[in-house]
Amino acid sequence: MIGLIFGALAGAAAAPVLRAAATRYAVPAGAPLAVCAQCGRAAWWLPPTGRCPSCRAGRGPAPLLVELAAVGAGMAVGAAAAWPVGPALGWVALFAVVLAFVDAAVHRLPDALTLPLGVGTALLLALGGFDRLLRCLAAGLVLGLLYGVLAVLGPMGLGDAKLALTLGALLAWYGWRAVFDGAFAGFLLAALWGLLLLLTGRAKAKDPLPFGPCMLLGALVAVLAVR
């Protein structure tokens, strides 16, 4: 219970920065980071309403969505965290909230987010010893290669492959079964989400589907299942 409460408070505290990051990075490939369309300022924090602190213009995701995601991610980390993997889980959770909203908005996972996520995760996992680290690196390469092949074939993007490197490494901390379960859950969630969009008429069969949120949720399911 203490972990859940602490995680929820940490998520709520980080939410203004995460909302601002999700807004700044939700731009097409090659475009500069987003600024307020009305006053031209780049906010480094945003309130739950999403309104610019300078001019009060509305920006980014709908009110409270990022905040709920941040609190939920914090609670999940609080429930699953244990030394020495806890810091890595928290690091991934922070980026996961931003990446999920960016991918949902513009269908891309920017290198400016996925690369520091991967490097930071590797460094934090190294705290647990080199025996598990080698398995984590191997699993990251395997899952990254799988998604890389899918990116070449068309269904995925290279951003998904880069994210898979990190998620494979993190899940391998808990064993190869967690890697398989996380990947399987991601594909299953994507299939269910796509089917729901088709049935409700919100998407067509050939419309692109942001896969990043499903990958992240699948990894979360696998981690919580292990715990």
Side-chain angles (χ1 to χ4, degrees):
M1 182 62 70
I2 295 178
L4 290 175
I5 295 174
F6 180 79
L9 293 175
V17 177
L18 300 182
R19 172 177 281 278
T23 302
R24 289 198 312 275
Y25 285 99
V27 294
L33 297 182
V35 297
C36 179
Q38 184 164 310
C39 69
R41 295 187 179 182
W44 293 92
W45 70 274
L46 287 173
T49 59
R51 294 192 174 277
C52 175
S54 300
C55 66
R56 310 300 297 168
R59 302 180 58 191
L64 294 179
L65 281 185
V66 175
E67 290 69 27
L68 290 174
V71 170
M75 293 177 67
V77 170
W83 181 260
V85 74
L89 284 174
W91 176 257
V92 173
L94 290 173
F95 278 84
V97 173
V98 179
L99 285 168
F101 280 96
V102 171
D103 199 16
V106 295
H107 291 203
R108 62 184 295 259
L109 299 170
D111 289 346
L113 295 174
T114 56
L115 296 184
L117 169 62
V119 172
T121 302
L123 293 175
L124 291 171
L125 288 176
L127 296 175
F130 285 98
D131 53 341
R132 289 196 181 187
L133 180 61
L134 292 177
R135 183 177 67 198
C136 291
L137 293 176
L141 290 175
V142 169
L143 204 59
L145 179 61
L146 170 63
Y147 278 86
V149 171
L150 292 175
V152 172
L153 296 176
M156 306 293 177
L158 289 177
D160 297 322
K162 295 169 186 174
L163 178 59
L165 289 169
T166 297
L167 296 183
L170 179 66
L171 291 172
W173 178 269
Y174 302 97
W176 285 101
R177 177 60 186 270
V179 177
F180 173 81
D181 289 346
F184 177 80
F187 283 106
L188 179 60
L189 288 170
L192 293 175
W193 186 11
L195 180 60
L196 178 62
L197 292 176
L198 288 174
L199 292 177
T200 57
R202 298 177 60 186
K204 299 179 181 179
K206 293 185 178 181
D207 288 346
L209 179 71
F211 203 74
C214 299
M215 295 173 64
L216 294 164
L217 283 175
L220 175 61
V221 169
V223 170
L224 293 178
V226 172
R227 303 303 298 175

